[in-house]
Amino acid sequence: MKTLHLQIDNSIYGIILSMLRGLPRNKIKIIEEKPDNPQPANIMQFAGQLEWPVDGVEYQRELRD
């Protein structure tokens, strides 16, 4: 058996992992290494994409009424 090390961009990591998991289990062993210093998630990538269930200002007005 041979060992292959890959550096894969986060955007295609899931795709590559799915492809590898589709191979026969007795022919491949997937060993994931976690980085020593994981990068914190950038929540700004979701700015403007999240929809809140209520408008805060409108909700407060309704409470006051």
Side-chain angles (χ1 to χ4, degrees):
M1 189 173 264
K2 296 185 184 233
T3 302
L4 175 65
H5 295 270
L6 301 171
Q7 285 187 337
I8 301 172
D9 188 76
N10 289 340
S11 63
I12 62 168
Y13 178 76
I15 297 168
I16 300 296
L17 195 57
S18 296
M19 290 171 50
L20 291 173
R21 287 184 175 153
L23 297 172
R25 298 264 182 208
N26 62 345
K27 300 285 184 184
I28 187 170
K29 180 180 180 183
I30 299 173
I31 303 169
E32 295 183 66
E33 291 183 9
K34 307 290 182 199
D36 292 336
N37 297 323
Q39 297 296 321
N42 180 9
I43 61 170
M44 291 307 293
Q45 67 184 348
F46 301 109
Q49 296 178 6
L50 300 176
E51 295 182 22
W52 296 100
V54 294
D55 177 20
V57 174
E58 185 62 32
Y59 179 73
Q60 289 178 3
R61 285 184 184 144
E62 290 176 9
L63 285 177
R64 289 184 201 132
D65 291 342

